[in-house]
């Protein structure tokens, strides 16, 4: 059978199945005339076949389980015979102290905030006492007899007075020694569990005198900037003194201030606007 005849044979089988409306029928196919293609369409003859149904294969249908429990109908209760279900009232539970009734989720209650603040105060008080002893030993190692007294302490700040027969040796040149001990004190408190603490070391009113000196330095720098039209770079200062200068000159209409450099050599720049 040629390729043409084979294709025509398959087409005839499909047509026979469709005519019988039994796509899954098993057929007996008899070729009556294989047909021919012809030459350029001349003498063409279609394939002739006869199809006889041998067997019809029906699709499988799902069967019900033979278990009585599976086929037993579900009995529905009569609405009139149904008994109402009692709804239990919610039992009031005691609210935890950290999140009382009325406090939004994720926020602490005023009582918890007060308790934590008290813990921070106690932690700072204990750490400040240890810091005072440490400063006395450190100055003594430098040959300076110092008596350290805690003047005030909060949750994150502490002020310690350093008394000595020679205050100049406690303060150092332009306050470099006492400023260095402040940086060391912050590291000491951090080791004691007090993070980001503000430490103020004072001796014989040095901090108040230094504030007056910073004010005069700022006034002279502003005069130089206005006269020359150029920026003035001041000597390195601790953060407390830089903030004092920024606060002093923030409302001046002629100059602006900013800080540059890295600690402990960070300084203030006063420039024309």
């Amino acid at each position: 059978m040629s390729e043409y005849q084979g294709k025509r044979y398959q087409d005839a089988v499909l047509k026979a199945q469709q005519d019988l409306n039994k796509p899954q029928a098993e057929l007996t196919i008899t070729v009556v005339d294989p047909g021919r293609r012809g030459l350029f369409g001349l003498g063409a003859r279609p394939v002739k076949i006869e199809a006889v149904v041998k067997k019809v294969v029906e699709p499988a249908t799902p069967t019900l389980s033979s278990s009585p429990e599976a086929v037993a109908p579900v009995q529905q209760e009569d609405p009139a015979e149904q008994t109402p279900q009692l709804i239990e009232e919610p039992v009031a539970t005691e609210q935890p102290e950290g999140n009382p009734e009325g406090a939004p989720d994720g926020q602490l209650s005023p009582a918890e905030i007060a308790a934590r603040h008290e813990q921070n105060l106690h932690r700072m008080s204990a750490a400040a006492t240890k810091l005072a002893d440490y400063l006395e030993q450190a100055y003594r190692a430098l040959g300076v007899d110092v008596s350290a007294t805690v003047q005030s302490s909060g949750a994150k700040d502490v002020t310690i007075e350093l008394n000595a027969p020679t205050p100049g040796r406690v303060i150092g040149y332009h306050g470099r020694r006492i400023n260095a001990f402040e940086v060391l004190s912050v590291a000491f408190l951090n080791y004691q569990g007090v993070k980001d603490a503000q430490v103020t070391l004072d001796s014989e009113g040095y901090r108040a005198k230094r504030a007056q000196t910073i004010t005069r330095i700022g006034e002279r720098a502003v005069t130089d900037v206005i006269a020359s039209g150029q920026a003035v770079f001041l000597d390195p200062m601790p953060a407390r003194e830089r903030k004092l200068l920024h606060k002093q000159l923030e409302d001046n209409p002629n100059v602006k201030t900013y800080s540059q450099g890295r600690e402990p050599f960070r300084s203030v720049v006063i420039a024309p606007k």
Side-chain angles (χ1 to χ4, degrees), residues 9-19 27 49:
Y9 174 77
Q10 294 177 358
D11 293 342
V13 171
L14 293 176
K15 186 176 183 304
Q17 289 182 334
Q18 293 175 358
D19 292 341
L27 306 177
I49 62 174

Side-chain angles (χ1 to χ4, degrees), residues 28-144:
T28 300
I29 306 300
T30 304
V31 179
V32 178
D33 186 353
R36 63 183 178 181
R37 182 189 297 269
L39 180 63
F40 299 106
L42 300 177
R45 185 170 63 248
V47 177
K48 293 182 180 181
I49 62 174
E50 292 181 355
V52 180
V53 178
K54 294 176 58 180
K55 181 181 179 182
V56 177
V57 181
E58 297 293 342
T61 57
T63 58
L64 297 177
S65 174
S66 59
S67 174
E69 297 179 356
V71 299
V74 179
Q75 296 182 358
Q76 299 183 355
E77 297 182 0
D78 187 358
E81 297 180 357
Q82 295 180 356
T83 58
Q85 300 291 332
L86 296 178
I87 302 177
E88 297 182 358
E89 296 183 357
V91 179
T93 58
E94 183 179 355
Q95 295 289 337
E97 184 179 358
N99 186 20
E101 184 178 359
D105 293 339
Q107 296 185 6
L108 300 177
S109 66
E112 181 67 17
I113 294 176
R116 295 193 178 188
H117 180 68
E118 190 67 25
Q119 292 177 358
N120 293 335
L121 290 176
H122 179 73
R123 184 183 297 111
M124 173 60 84
S125 178
T129 302
K130 296 180 181 179
L131 175 59
D133 296 337
Y134 172 77
L135 291 173
E136 291 180 355
Q137 297 175 13
Y139 269 103
R140 192 175 298 114
L142 297 176
V144 182

